[in-house]
Every structure is written in C-alpha cells, then in structure tokens.
Amino acid sequence: MVLNNIEQLLEKYHNGETSLKEEQQLKNYFTQETVAPHLEMYKPMFTYFSLSQEEQFTKDVPLKTNKNNLYKWISVAAVAVLMIGFYFKTPQSSTEDLGTYDDPEMAYLEVKKSLEMISTQFNKGASSINYLAEVENTTSLIFKK
Amino acid sequence: MTQTEFLHIVMPFKDKVFRLAKRLLVSREEAEDATQEVLLKLWKNKKKMQEYKNVEAFSMTMTKNFCLDKLKSKQAQNLKLVHSNYQDNNTSLQKQLEFNDSVNWVAKIIEDLPEQQKLVIQLRDIEQYDFDEIAKMLDMNNTAVRVALSRARKTIREKLTKTHNYGVK
C-alpha cells in the first residue's frame, strides 16, 4: 500500500508535479534504512539531496563600514589643513594697499609734507637729547686734567 | 543599517547562496569567492536593501547571474575548469564505500546537466523553494520551470538506472 503510494509519487515527481510536501515524503522514504529493492537506485539521489542541504558556507566575509573610512579621511584632511596653516602663517605682510596719487604735483606736495613732518618731529626728538652734550663737556673736563 | 542587522538578514540564506554557487561553479573555493562577492555586493547596497521585497530571492538571482557571468568569462578566456579531480568532502561522511560511490554518482550526473536544469534541481530538490519562487529567481515562467525540472529528474533517473543495472544486465 505504502509502496504503491511511493511509486505513484515517484511518477509524479519525475513529471515535476509533486508538491514540496510530497517530495519531503519521498525523501523521508528513501533516506530510511530499507527500501524496496526495485527502487533502490533512487536512494543515492535522495540521500545526495539531503546531504547537500547540509553543506555550509564557512568563509568569513569582511564587512567594512564606510563610516570608519569617512572619519579616517576627515582626520587626515584636518591634519593636512593644520600643517598648511602653520607653514603659510607669515608675520603680517606689508603688501597692504595704501593708495596712490595720479597727479605728480599732488604727489610731490604730499611727499614734501610728509618729509617736513618727519624732519620737524626728528628735530624735536633730537633737541631733547641735546643735554647729552653736557656729559661730553664734563667728561672732557675731567679727562683733560 | 548596522552590521548586526545585515547579518541577521543575510545569515539564514548565505548557505543557500553558497550551495547554488557551488552547484554552478563546482569547485568549493570558487563558490566561496562567489558567495563572498555576492554578500559584499549586498552589503555595499544595503541602503537599497529595504526596498527589495524579497532579499533572499534577489540574492539568489544575483548569485545565479554572477556565477553564469563567471563561467562565461572563463569560457571566453579559454580556460576551462577541470573538475575531474574534484572530490566532494561532504559525502565522505558516508560509511559505506559503495554507497558513497553511488552518491557521488548523483553529484556527477547533476554536474553534467545543462546549467538551467542544474539550477532548477538545486533550487527545488535541495533548497526546496516552491515553483513561484524559482520562477521569479530564474526569470522564467512557472511551466518552464516544471518542464526543466521534469527533464532534469528524468535524466538523473535514466542515468542512475543505467549505473545501477551495470553489471547486472
């Protein structure tokens, strides 16, 4: 009775008409110890199917997160920016634009004015050290003796 | 998506991916590489993964395509893999040597099937997907899957009967 059923199932199986449940039934039948002699040739097939079902993937998959990479590159960039910053940090450059005169007459007058200012200021400063001459006078008095 | 979440999704079917790759590429190392590649691709596109309805079916399709591409490029390079010395370690678990031999026979018979039939046998008889899922994975219609499966099973039966009766008749 059971055998009859199995044979029918086998026929259906080979026509590709069995459901998963029926296939499981076949598998169960053929993986047991004793199988009807005339069906024995199917045994290795179903055993093979069950065996292959157990094979596993054992290799590791290196999953890298992109996030870490991003942080790494940000830190590299930050260091680079810092270094460039230090390298180019020169004392206040004197290349500031002070403006210019188009008219040479004006320029001349302006220069004259500035030079005059410098000279008056200079004279003023110089006059305040005139008294140093006193030191000269006294020392010469002393050392002449 | 974090790594653990990803692994949670991928873990249940990674073995299936591997077995499918192995069915097509035959050698274990190649199959491992292919699986790794497929999983890495999934990981790279993890943002899109939520959009897929069925990640498992999608990965199986991806694996199939990847392996077929690989086989194609191998043929193009005229470097055919020679698998004659290949041995399946798995079946050596079997105690009886003779029985072990006939189980190996099945592996060899399946190896000789056309690629599509190999795929169908793998997905149906080993991984036990239903026809709709297989049809979706292989981009075929339902009847075509059944026909391919029936042909594959009949070929296996025929060859098994031959080897089984060898020396008897």
Side-chain angles (χ1 to χ4, degrees), chain A residues 30 33 35-44, chain B residues 164:
Chain A
F30 282 105
E33 278 293 305
V35 177
H38 67 290
L39 295 177
E40 202 149 79
M41 61 196 183
Y42 296 116
K43 213 178 160 193
Chain B
H164 189 74

Side-chain angles (χ1 to χ4, degrees), chain B residues 129-151:
Chain B
Y129 285 111
D130 65 42
F131 284 117
D132 290 331
E133 278 177 305
I134 297 173
K136 214 191 285 165
M137 282 170 194
L138 302 184
D139 201 15
M140 290 159 73
N141 67 39
N142 218 313
T143 8
V145 173
R146 275 172 203 270
V147 170
L149 184 65
S150 167
R151 275 193 196 141

Side-chain angles (χ1 to χ4, degrees), chain A residues 14-143:
Chain A
H14 283 110
N15 289 326
E17 287 159 351
T18 37
S19 67
L20 284 173
K21 216 172 160 188
E22 288 167 327
E23 279 168 28
Q24 196 51 51
Q25 223 174 314
L26 279 173
K27 237 171 244 181
N28 289 342
Y29 175 76
F30 282 105
T31 40
Q32 66 190 16
E33 278 293 305
T34 45
V35 177
H38 67 290
L39 295 177
E40 202 149 79
M41 61 196 183
Y42 296 116
K43 213 178 160 193
M45 182 164 86
F46 288 101
T47 315
Y48 175 74
F49 290 154
S50 322
L51 275 178
S52 334
Q53 217 174 345
E54 281 152 22
E55 200 168 350
Q56 284 185 339
F57 177 65
T58 45
K59 207 174 169 184
D60 273 344
V61 182
L63 293 177
K64 274 184 213 141
T65 22
N66 293 338
K67 236 186 209 168
N68 289 345
N69 250 348
L70 192 70
Y71 279 126
K72 205 167 73 191
W73 283 112
I74 285 178
S75 57
V76 167
V79 167
V81 164
L82 275 178
M83 286 173 77
I84 290 169
F86 281 123
Y87 185 74
F88 284 108
K89 198 186 168 243
T90 46
Q92 279 294 317
S93 53
S94 53
T95 52
E96 277 170 56
D97 194 10
L98 295 172
T100 180
Y101 290 98
D102 290 330
D103 187 10
E105 192 94 351
M106 277 283 282
Y108 173 70
L109 285 175
E110 208 52 42
V111 168
K112 211 170 138 190
K113 207 169 100 189
S114 325
L115 287 178
E116 258 168 18
M117 193 176 84
I118 289 169
S119 72
T120 47
Q121 292 302 324
F122 184 79
N123 286 340
K124 213 161 111 191
S127 65
S128 67
I129 56 164
N130 270 346
Y131 69 89
L132 284 177
E134 286 303 311
V135 180
E136 193 74 18
N137 287 341
T138 37
T139 45
S140 60
L141 266 174
I142 293 164
F143 285 113

